[in-house]
Amino acid sequence: MYDGCQWRKYGQKISKGNPCPRAFYRCTVAPGCPVRKQVQRSVDDMSILITTYEGNHNHPISESATAMASTTSAAASMLLSGSSASQPLSTELNGLSFSSIHDNSRSPSFPTITLDLVGSPSSFLTNFPTTSRFPWTNLNFSSQQDQFYQTLTKAITSDPSFRSIISAAISMVDQRAESFGHNPMQATVSQSLKDPSLCESGYFKGLASSSSRIGSSPQSSSLSFSVFNSASALGSDNKEPKK
DNA sequence: CGTTTTTGACCGGCGC
DNA sequence: GCGCCGGTCAAAAACG
């Protein structure tokens, strides 16, 4: 699927646990672009594609990719409150863009997972049947935000499958897209954990593949969740150094 | 015919 | 030190 850049496949590996292969892509817009990209199909739902981006483009990229990168990096810098994230990792689930930032330059770093819903909502809404949407999508906006927070908190702290979080997010975005004219929204999950084992680099990968380790230590997770409209971030906070 | 994909080899890090 | 595992290389095939 087209995400704003040109990619060349340079490898494919099958992981040990799941039969789904993992494809490796490299950005071919510029000859020396260090951006990598991994595409893997989800284990529990074969219809979900997990795309992981790594690195930053050092060349001009298209408008949609610039918008996506600027919003994710803006959210990252916002969450880290000025601290420079060394290498933000972004992951995509059927158009739902996540990005986990690990500030490994300072010791009390906590992983930050950003759920980016900027990329056109209709693209991933069509990938899920209407039967999987949640019944509480008829709430009003403020209740939705609260419900979204409660659903995410419950989903993370009570050892669910990660897909339930995705489904919750998708259903919320679905409702918002229908009631607000496909207004792009951005949701951010910022999780500060005291458990160092969850702060390692593979935290988000483990969360995406099997979220059982989250429930193993539910008492250590203090989840803070915020929802904000990224349209303002797109307009004013477009301070992406790569242009 | 140039570019991309495929696919086995290769390599380095890590755990035992 | 050795083998496993994840990631990359590169030659050949496929594609347009």
Side-chain angles (χ1 to χ4, degrees):
Chain A
M1 55 184 68
Y2 181 73
D3 55 358
C5 286
Q6 193 107 8
W7 302 95
R8 188 185 77 246
K9 190 175 186 176
Y10 67 91
Q12 178 170 330
K13 272 290 188 184
I14 53 173
S15 299
K16 188 64 181 289
N18 55 349
C20 308
R22 178 180 300 177
F24 301 91
Y25 295 87
R26 183 172 298 173
C27 181
T28 58
V29 178
C33 190
V35 175
R36 305 275 194 274
K37 170 183 170 182
Q38 297 183 12
V39 177
Q40 188 180 17
R41 207 162 279 279
S42 179
V43 183
D44 40 42
D45 196 336
M46 303 291 267
S47 66
I48 294 181
L49 276 178
I50 303 176
T51 305
T52 303
Y53 297 89
E54 183 172 6
N56 290 316
H57 296 276
N58 53 2
H59 56 82
I61 54 182
S62 70
E63 195 62 31
S64 60
T66 306
M68 193 180 300
S70 65
T71 49
T72 52
S73 64
S77 59
M78 195 180 307
L79 288 166
L80 293 172
S81 69
S83 67
S84 65
S86 60
Q87 197 75 296
L89 264 170
S90 65
T91 301
E92 225 173 74
L93 292 169
N94 271 10
L96 273 173
S97 176
F98 290 79
S99 66
S100 77
I101 297 95
H102 312 285
D103 190 5
N104 48 14
S105 64
R106 54 184 59 192
S107 51
S109 69
F110 49 88
T112 301
I113 300 169
T114 302
L115 168 59
D116 195 354
L117 308 179
V118 172
S120 63
S122 59
S123 64
F124 57 84
L125 290 179
T126 56
N127 292 324
F128 284 83
T130 54
T131 56
S132 68
R133 297 172 188 176
F134 283 12
W136 38 265
T137 52
N138 53 358
L139 299 167
N140 59 37
F141 179 71
S142 59
S143 300
Q144 278 175 26
Q145 188 166 336
D146 188 45
Q147 186 71 42
F148 195 17
Y149 169 76
Q150 290 178 5
T151 303
L152 271 166
T153 306
K154 180 183 177 183
I156 289 177
T157 55
S158 64
D159 187 20
S161 69
F162 184 70
R163 187 170 177 272
S164 66
I165 306 176
I166 303 300
S167 299
I170 285 170
S171 61
M172 291 311 301
V173 174
D174 185 16
Q175 169 63 22
R176 282 178 190 154
E178 288 175 357
S179 60
F180 293 98
H182 292 79
N183 191 19
M185 298 293 293
Q186 187 169 18
T188 299
V189 177
S190 166
Q191 190 164 13
S192 60
L193 295 170
K194 304 300 182 295
D195 192 355
S197 66
L198 296 176
C199 298
E200 56 197 4
S201 61
Y203 169 73
F204 184 68
K205 286 183 179 178
L207 182 63
S209 60
S210 70
S211 63
S212 59
R213 62 168 61 183
I214 308 300
S216 62
S217 63
Q219 73 283 353
S220 67
S221 68
S222 71
L223 182 96
S224 69
F225 183 72
S226 64
V227 180
F228 56 92
N229 196 335
S230 70
S232 59
L234 269 169
S236 61
D237 288 340
N238 196 356
K239 46 175 174 286
E240 181 72 17
K242 275 70 61 186
K243 184 68 178 300

